[in-house]
Amino acid sequence: MVGVIVDCGVYAGGERRQLPKDPETVAQAIDDDGRAFGWIGLHEPSDAEMERVQQLFGLHDLAIEDSLQIHQRPKVERFGDTILVVLRTLWYVDEGDAVETGQVTVFVGPRYVVTVRHGEGGELATTRHELEARAAVLGHGPAAVLWAICDAVVDDYETVAEQVEIDVDEVESSVFSPERTSDAERIYRLKREVLEMRRAIDPLREPMVQFAHGVNGISAKASPFFRDVADHLSRVSDQTEAIDTLLSSALNAHLARVSVQQNDDMRKISAWVAIAAVPTMLAGIYGMNFDNMPELRWHFGYYAVLLLMAVVCFTMYRFFRKVGWL
């Protein structure tokens, strides 16, 4: 399991104990000291590796199944004295306007926390180090670890939302620029990524509010920390909804502009066709060569017809320019 275990730690009184980094040591340490709790971090473990952790901490079979299946819907469930929290992690790839997703599953027991991470995003090493530097917060036990993870994941949501907003601003500028652009594909792609964000964000709003008001397994002293997370989550949810609305408006504006441009093109084509029809009609009439056409033998007939063509075409051109068709 060495390659899968990101870190293992045993904490007591807000301080980390210097012990070997393996699940067996963590399980033994929290059994020996009723004040300590353990935090085991795993990255993309196999079935066998999760089964070993399950045996050490008595995790429920259904909870283990959820932790191994990626792309789960964010949720909070209780299995006995263990709280299962499934979070979807987000990060943004600017080159393709893509919001990539991963998953963090958190098992929170009375004296242990097990985190299972899938995907490249949502690394928890920084979160662990920052939490270890705050002994007063870490002293709240497993609830503090759950708060720190939720806070880090929601902060990533805000970062992604800000990056998406930058691309939305670029789309807006392109849609309303004087040049002809083709933005429909990019707008649709951004809307699809925003939908991916909402699938990660919206289901968490109610559980975070529940944690903020206190639930069994989350101490009342830790509730204010979750209120802060719930507030940030509500804000980024509203921000994401506003981005989605803005993209819908931009798409409608783009389609309306394309329609106007097409109408403008059709008017120009129609105007030039009408102008070209005049000399075509006159040439067709005088090209019939009937004997009883008096103009055929008129000395100035050719020049008169050319002059008539020019006058009519110029008059029509001025008219179409005046009404905005050319």
Side-chain angles (χ1 to χ4, degrees):
M1 292 181 63
V2 177
V4 173
I5 298 175
V6 178
D7 201 352
C8 289
V10 177
Y11 304 88
E15 300 292 335
R16 178 167 181 162
R17 295 183 176 180
Q18 299 301 319
L19 296 173
K21 298 180 180 181
D22 60 79
E24 289 77 13
T25 299
V26 172
Q28 185 63 44
I30 63 176
D31 285 341
D32 294 342
D33 187 346
R35 300 173 303 165
F37 77 92
W39 179 3
I40 298 175
L42 307 175
H43 181 244
E44 298 183 354
S46 65
D47 293 356
E49 292 159 347
M50 280 304 300
E51 183 179 354
R52 179 56 180 162
V53 174
Q54 178 185 14
Q55 293 174 355
L56 289 172
F57 298 98
L59 303 178
H60 197 279
D61 290 340
L62 293 177
I64 293 297
E65 182 179 340
D66 285 342
S67 70
L68 292 173
Q69 293 181 357
I70 61 174
H71 305 305
Q72 289 274 334
R73 186 178 188 272
K75 62 181 179 179
V76 176
E77 292 185 355
R78 181 178 293 277
F79 296 90
D81 59 358
T82 301
I83 298 175
L84 172 70
V85 182
V86 178
L87 306 169
R88 296 187 72 174
T89 57
L90 302 178
W91 67 97
Y92 195 61
V93 180
D94 189 56
E95 291 79 5
D97 294 338
V99 176
E100 300 293 341
T101 62
Q103 181 174 300
V104 173
T105 305
V106 187
F107 300 88
V108 183
R111 289 191 292 119
Y112 64 83
V113 176
V114 177
T115 57
V116 181
R117 183 168 63 89
H118 292 273
E120 299 300 322
E123 62 88 17
L124 300 177
T126 302
T127 302
R128 185 189 290 265
H129 295 154
E130 291 177 351
L131 189 59
E132 289 175 351
R134 304 172 65 181
V137 177
L138 192 56
H140 290 291
V145 177
L146 177 60
W147 163 77
I149 294 171
C150 292
D151 187 58
V153 170
V154 172
D155 285 346
D156 288 341
Y157 291 167
E158 292 182 311
T159 300
V160 171
E162 291 171 358
Q163 293 173 322
V164 172
E165 274 193 329
I166 294 174
D167 285 343
V168 172
D169 290 340
E170 293 176 357
V171 167
E172 276 191 302
S173 300
S174 178
V175 167
F176 295 102
S177 66
E179 300 178 357
R180 292 201 173 194
T181 57
S182 180
D183 301 303
E185 181 179 351
R186 189 181 186 190
I187 294 173
Y188 176 79
R189 186 166 59 248
L190 285 171
K191 281 184 67 66
R192 184 183 59 191
E193 302 309 318
V194 169
L195 178 61
E196 195 71 36
M197 293 172 60
R198 299 186 69 172
R199 287 173 179 168
I201 295 170
D202 291 346
L204 282 182
R205 296 186 67 172
E206 183 178 349
M208 289 302 109
V209 171
Q210 292 177 355
F211 288 157
H213 289 86
V215 296
N216 186 21
I218 304 296
S219 65
K221 294 182 179 179
S223 294
F225 295 99
F226 286 100
R227 281 201 293 270
D228 181 66
V229 175
D231 179 65
H232 287 188
L233 189 63
S234 178
R235 184 171 61 203
V236 73
S237 178
D238 293 341
Q239 183 181 11
T240 305
E241 184 177 356
I243 291 173
D244 190 35
T245 302
L246 194 59
L247 283 171
S248 297
S249 299
L251 180 59
N252 292 334
H254 173 70
L255 295 178
R257 188 178 181 193
V258 169
S259 179
V260 170
Q261 289 173 345
Q262 289 176 342
N263 289 336
D264 189 50
D265 292 341
M266 289 303 300
R267 286 187 299 181
K268 290 180 178 179
I269 294 172
S270 299
W272 285 115
V273 168
I275 293 173
V278 173
T280 302
M281 180 189 67
L282 293 176
I285 293 174
Y286 285 97
M288 291 187 292
N289 297 323
F290 287 119
D291 291 336
N292 295 326
M293 294 180 68
E295 296 88 351
L296 289 178
R297 289 176 171 75
W298 185 32
H299 180 73
F300 297 102
Y302 172 73
Y303 305 103
V305 170
L306 289 181
L307 179 61
L308 178 62
M309 290 180 182
V311 170
V312 174
C313 290
F314 180 74
T315 302
M316 295 180 66
Y317 175 81
R318 291 291 303 272
F319 171 77
F320 287 131
R321 289 281 293 182
K322 184 177 180 180
V323 298
W325 284 38
L326 289 177

